[in-house]
Amino acid sequence: MRGNIQEFGPGARLVTVVLALLVLQIASLISPAYACGCGAMVVDRNAELSVDRETSVIDWDGRTEQIVMRFTVASDAPDAAWIMPVPTRADVELADDALFDELVRITAPEHRTRHYFWPRGGDWPLDDVDGAAGAAPGASADGSGVGVVGRERLGDFDVARLTATDPGALGDWLDENGFELPEGLGEDLRPYVDQGWEYVAVRLAPREKGAVLTGTLDPLRLSFASDRLIYPMRLSRRAKTPQSLGLFVLARHRMEPRDTIGGSEPEVTFAGTVEPQGAVGRLTGGEERFLTALDQRFPEPGRIDGDHELKATAQDTPFRRVVYDDDLLTVGGVPAWLLTVGGAAVALTAAVLLRVRAGRRRPTPARVPPPVS
């Protein structure tokens, strides 16, 4: 049996990436810092940290936006810091881990069986043939340019909600707490400072003494007021390797990015209405949503020139991928080609035998003696 993917739906194009969670895949190590799809990951210069996968879910009802993120990391670092710009003051709390499993199940492609007649590699007798194919920033109390408007401990996370009055403020705050900003990241923070955005700084710090950051971390949920659906991406331009972005977008309509912001054309891997049940229902407050799953690649992160702003499409056209599982056609467990070829061989043999037998039975012509002269 083989599987190959075809898209199913109006205006669909060939899908080249199989959903594993509509997720962000990062394959290589960046030190001392890594910029990921939602902000900046900052780690001690003597430690190593790679983000193997980041999955993000966005919920937006037209007034309030929620972003839920879950990281899978490999690291020898005892702690790290992660920065997320937000347009208005954000609330932060641990999220429901079941949300991701539900969305993966909802967006799973439809499987259909497609039969083929002649044997391929892996089928008998070709078994051995390889054929697998916003709120204004507050002033800091000490005049340093950074205001800490809230700080709380959530599981393995130390969360600080910050305001800043200049691009260097976050760097100063991180330096005082034992971390460094990636070179040049301050420049990318300037547009947020100029617009009066705030920041969520998260210290990933295991509660167990001596533990390091590794494996899948608890998901975090950020919620803030916003009359636009925005996913911050500008800080990702400091990444040194190609990136891919996967988003689950829950809104009242099918959504699409306004532009590519320096990446490839975004691909839709799922679009459809979802019922407000389970973890999805708890996130949306019991309201029905239209779910759009998006996948986008950034071969050259340095070309990222802004944040993703998503807008409603002209129509709420549903879409689901179809995976065709190719299977050898059989009749009663016997390959159809074998029955056909065997039947043809039997028929041919029978015809030859009949012809031979008919030839043997043909009477010998009588010899007529010559006339007597």
Side-chain angles (χ1 to χ4, degrees):
M1 181 178 291
R2 292 164 189 80
N4 57 74
I5 297 179
Q6 295 185 7
E7 287 193 338
F8 178 76
R13 302 189 311 177
L14 182 66
V15 175
T16 58
V17 180
V18 178
L19 182 65
L21 202 35
L22 226 293
V23 312
L24 181 65
Q25 297 292 338
I26 301 169
S28 58
L29 177 68
I30 301 297
S31 182
Y34 194 86
C36 55
C38 59
M41 189 76 75
V42 185
V43 67
D44 188 285
R45 66 169 62 189
N46 297 315
E48 296 179 345
L49 182 145
S50 64
V51 181
D52 297 321
R53 181 169 63 252
E54 175 211 336
T55 306
S56 296
V57 181
I58 305 175
D59 176 69
W60 185 61
D61 62 5
R63 303 180 306 276
T64 302
E65 180 175 341
Q66 302 181 85
I67 300 178
V68 182
M69 287 155 295
R70 183 175 65 177
F71 294 101
T72 299
V73 301
S75 171
D76 63 0
D79 53 15
W82 163 70
I83 308 168
M84 176 69 140
V86 287
T88 60
R89 187 152 301 174
D91 292 324
V92 186
E93 63 182 13
L94 292 177
D96 190 344
D97 196 50
L99 175 65
F100 300 92
D101 294 334
E102 283 189 16
L103 291 174
V104 168
R105 184 173 63 253
I106 291 171
T107 59
E110 176 185 352
H111 281 258
R112 296 180 184 176
T113 300
R114 181 171 54 190
H115 293 97
Y116 58 92
F117 184 79
W118 293 109
R120 302 175 181 176
D123 298 324
W124 182 88
L126 307 177
D127 306 71
D128 296 330
V129 178
D130 183 14
S140 62
D142 57 3
S144 65
V146 177
V148 180
V149 298
R151 192 161 190 173
E152 47 268 334
R153 180 81 184 195
L154 301 172
D156 288 332
F157 304 103
D158 177 14
V159 180
R161 290 172 291 150
L162 309 173
T163 63
T165 57
D166 67 79
L170 286 181
D172 294 339
W173 184 88
L174 289 169
D175 283 340
E176 292 171 3
N177 286 271
F179 296 93
E180 293 182 3
L181 277 174
E183 183 180 354
L185 189 61
E187 301 172 16
D188 299 317
L189 290 171
R190 180 174 294 279
Y192 300 120
V193 174
D194 292 343
Q195 295 177 65
W197 283 39
E198 297 192 4
Y199 311 88
V200 175
V202 181
R203 177 182 291 279
L204 308 171
R207 287 167 293 185
E208 183 181 349
K209 187 176 182 180
V212 297
L213 294 167
T214 189
T216 300
L217 307 178
D218 291 333
L220 276 179
R221 181 178 69 87
L222 285 68
S223 61
F224 49 89
S226 181
D227 57 3
R228 298 179 297 157
L229 201 166
I230 299 177
Y231 189 73
M233 283 289 297
R234 191 189 307 271
L235 301 187
S236 298
R237 68 190 315 271
R238 293 296 164 181
K240 304 301 182 184
T241 58
Q243 295 190 331
S244 61
L245 173 68
L247 292 177
F248 294 111
V249 183
L250 294 160
R252 292 173 176 170
H253 300 282
R254 176 169 169 166
M255 306 299 287
E256 63 182 1
R258 290 190 178 276
D259 55 57
T260 63
I261 64 168
S264 64
E265 192 69 28
E267 294 181 278
V268 176
T269 58
F270 178 87
T273 302
V274 293
E275 297 296 327
Q277 301 173 349
V280 172
R282 290 191 289 273
L283 179 68
T284 66
E287 295 183 8
E288 185 179 83
R289 291 285 192 269
F290 195 100
L291 170 62
T292 312
L294 298 168
D295 185 89
Q296 185 181 16
R297 292 181 175 274
F298 294 90
E300 301 178 53
R303 299 183 62 181
I304 297 175
D305 56 9
D307 300 318
H308 260 321
E309 181 177 350
L310 294 94
K311 62 182 180 67
T313 58
Q315 295 181 327
D316 293 336
T317 306
F319 169 82
R320 181 183 292 275
R321 292 178 302 153
V322 174
V323 174
Y324 285 99
D325 298 318
D326 291 348
D327 209 359
L328 182 66
L329 181 64
T330 61
V331 178
V334 180
W337 71 267
L338 186 58
L339 292 175
T340 303
V341 173
V346 170
L348 180 60
T349 301
V352 171
L353 291 175
L354 288 173
R355 186 177 183 85
V356 170
R357 183 174 297 178
R360 289 176 178 174
R361 292 177 178 175
R362 184 178 303 162
T364 303
R367 294 185 63 188
V368 180
V372 178
S373 55

